[in-house]
Amino acid sequence: MKIGIFGAGHMGGAMIKGWIKSEKIEPSNLLVRGGRRGTAQSLQKELGFQLTSETSDFKQMDIIFLAVNTPLILPILNELKGLVETSSIPIVSVSAGVSVKEMQEIMGDNYPLAQAIPNTPVQINEGMTGIVFAENIDKKAKETIQFSFDLLGDLVEISEDKIGIFGTLAGCGPAFVDVFMESLADGAVLNGMDRDMAYQVAAKMVSSSANLLLKTGKHPGELKDGVTSPGGTTIKGVTALEKEGFRYATINAIDTIMKS
């Protein structure tokens, strides 16, 4: 499969790394057009994919991704339209700010389009991506898009009205977890643990706890109850979190983003 991607910033770069790490996509089959910041050039030296400044080169691709800032999505579609409308190369935007309907206004109702919201763990093939497909997308194009994301982790098809909350939870959530892990490590360092070990233990604890929930299907509260024995140390820690408004702060973080 030949993949073309506009943009090699945080998300574009993460996707590129994930495809190459999967060993299913050769670097030579990845074509990237970067922006003015030079991140694509730096990443190309590390990973060896193909760089271009010519939009016309993308007409040789099997699928095209737009991983650029929201204001650039529609102008790029205007650039691509004359090149790809006869070959119907699937195009996927990974910007939360442009809907499939807006893309269709340029490409047409029957063009194979999708809007996807991946998160940064795609770079290690453990991403969580939500996707909205154009209503009239054909089976072959849909399978091509699905395959490209299957290489990066889990893919969930969602309705267009849920793309915002999905992006907030899956896309912004990793930053919240990173802050949580850093705070856990700080607490451990405060009590004498080596910094590197504290990060390692916190990260492994978070990932294994998440996997336990996924593999058992148990409610998070039930798993919490299994750790908090009567009068024990864990319930004292949970009480301290509740006293400081940990649960409300987390809910409010999601709600604040959605209302911004």
Side-chain angles (χ1 to χ4, degrees), residues 96-135:
V98 178
S99 68
V100 169
K101 290 181 181 179
E102 290 175 293
M103 296 167 69
Q104 286 176 322
E105 289 177 6
I106 293 173
M107 303 303 297
D109 291 343
N110 295 316
Y111 196 89
L113 298 166
Q115 179 192 16
I117 305 296
N119 60 8
T120 51
V122 294
Q123 65 190 292
I124 57 169
N125 316 106
E126 294 185 17
M128 171 57 75
T129 301
I131 193 164
V132 179
F133 291 102
E135 186 175 347

Side-chain angles (χ1 to χ4, degrees), residues 23 87 95 102 108 118 132-133 139 150 162 207 209 224 260:
E23 298 184 345
S87 55
S95 168
E102 290 175 293
V132 179
F133 291 102
K139 182 180 178 181
D150 286 342
K162 296 295 189 294
S207 66
S209 297
K224 180 265 295 179
S260 64

Side-chain angles (χ1 to χ4, degrees), residues 3-249:
I3 297 176
I5 182 166
F6 287 76
H10 291 300
M11 186 50 64
M15 294 169 71
I16 292 166
K17 289 176 182 177
W19 283 320
I20 293 175
K21 184 176 174 60
S22 75
E23 298 184 345
K24 300 293 184 181
I25 305 295
E26 294 293 330
S28 59
N29 286 330
L30 274 169
L31 180 69
V32 180
R33 193 182 90 173
R36 298 177 180 177
R37 297 182 181 178
T39 53
Q41 288 79 359
S42 299
L43 200 59
Q44 192 270 342
K45 292 178 182 177
E46 176 188 346
L47 300 175
F49 52 79
Q50 302 299 306
L51 269 178
T52 185
S53 59
E54 300 296 328
T55 305
S56 58
D57 291 340
F58 285 84
K59 63 184 179 182
Q60 307 300 326
M61 298 296 104
D62 296 312
I63 186 170
I64 297 171
F65 290 85
L66 308 182
V68 295
N69 292 333
T70 299
L72 298 176
I73 298 292
L74 298 183
I76 290 175
L77 286 177
N78 278 311
E79 286 184 58
L80 287 169
K81 184 176 181 179
L83 297 170
V84 301
E85 57 187 347
T86 56
S87 55
S88 294
I89 302 170
I91 298 176
V92 183
S93 165
V94 295
S95 168
V98 178
S99 68
V100 169
K101 290 181 181 179
E102 290 175 293
M103 296 167 69
Q104 286 176 322
E105 289 177 6
I106 293 173
M107 303 303 297
D109 291 343
N110 295 316
Y111 196 89
L113 298 166
Q115 179 192 16
I117 305 296
N119 60 8
T120 51
V122 294
Q123 65 190 292
I124 57 169
N125 316 106
E126 294 185 17
M128 171 57 75
T129 301
I131 193 164
V132 179
F133 291 102
E135 186 175 347
N136 297 326
I137 194 167
D138 64 81
K139 182 180 178 181
K140 183 179 179 182
K142 189 172 184 178
E143 288 176 347
T144 298
I145 295 169
Q146 288 173 326
F147 175 76
S148 67
F149 280 112
D150 286 342
L151 299 178
L152 302 178
D154 292 334
L155 181 68
V156 179
E157 187 172 354
I158 56 177
S159 59
E160 194 155 20
D161 64 321
K162 296 295 189 294
I163 194 76
I165 184 57
F166 182 95
T168 297
L169 182 57
C172 303
F176 304 160
V177 175
D178 290 337
V179 171
F180 178 52
M181 289 190 294
E182 185 180 28
S183 300
L184 289 169
D186 284 346
V189 171
L190 179 65
N191 284 275
M193 182 176 282
D194 173 80
R195 170 67 66 180
D196 289 341
M197 180 176 288
Y199 283 141
Q200 182 180 355
V201 173
K204 182 62 178 178
M205 180 277 296
V206 169
S207 66
S208 59
S209 297
N211 282 329
L212 182 62
L213 185 150
L214 291 171
K215 291 180 179 180
T216 63
K218 291 183 177 180
H219 189 281
E222 183 181 356
L223 293 174
K224 180 265 295 179
D225 289 349
V227 185
T228 50
S229 53
T233 55
T234 305
I235 191 61
K236 292 176 182 177
V238 170
T239 301
L241 288 175
E242 294 289 358
K243 181 180 179 181
E244 298 299 327
F246 177 77
R247 193 185 300 259
Y248 173 77

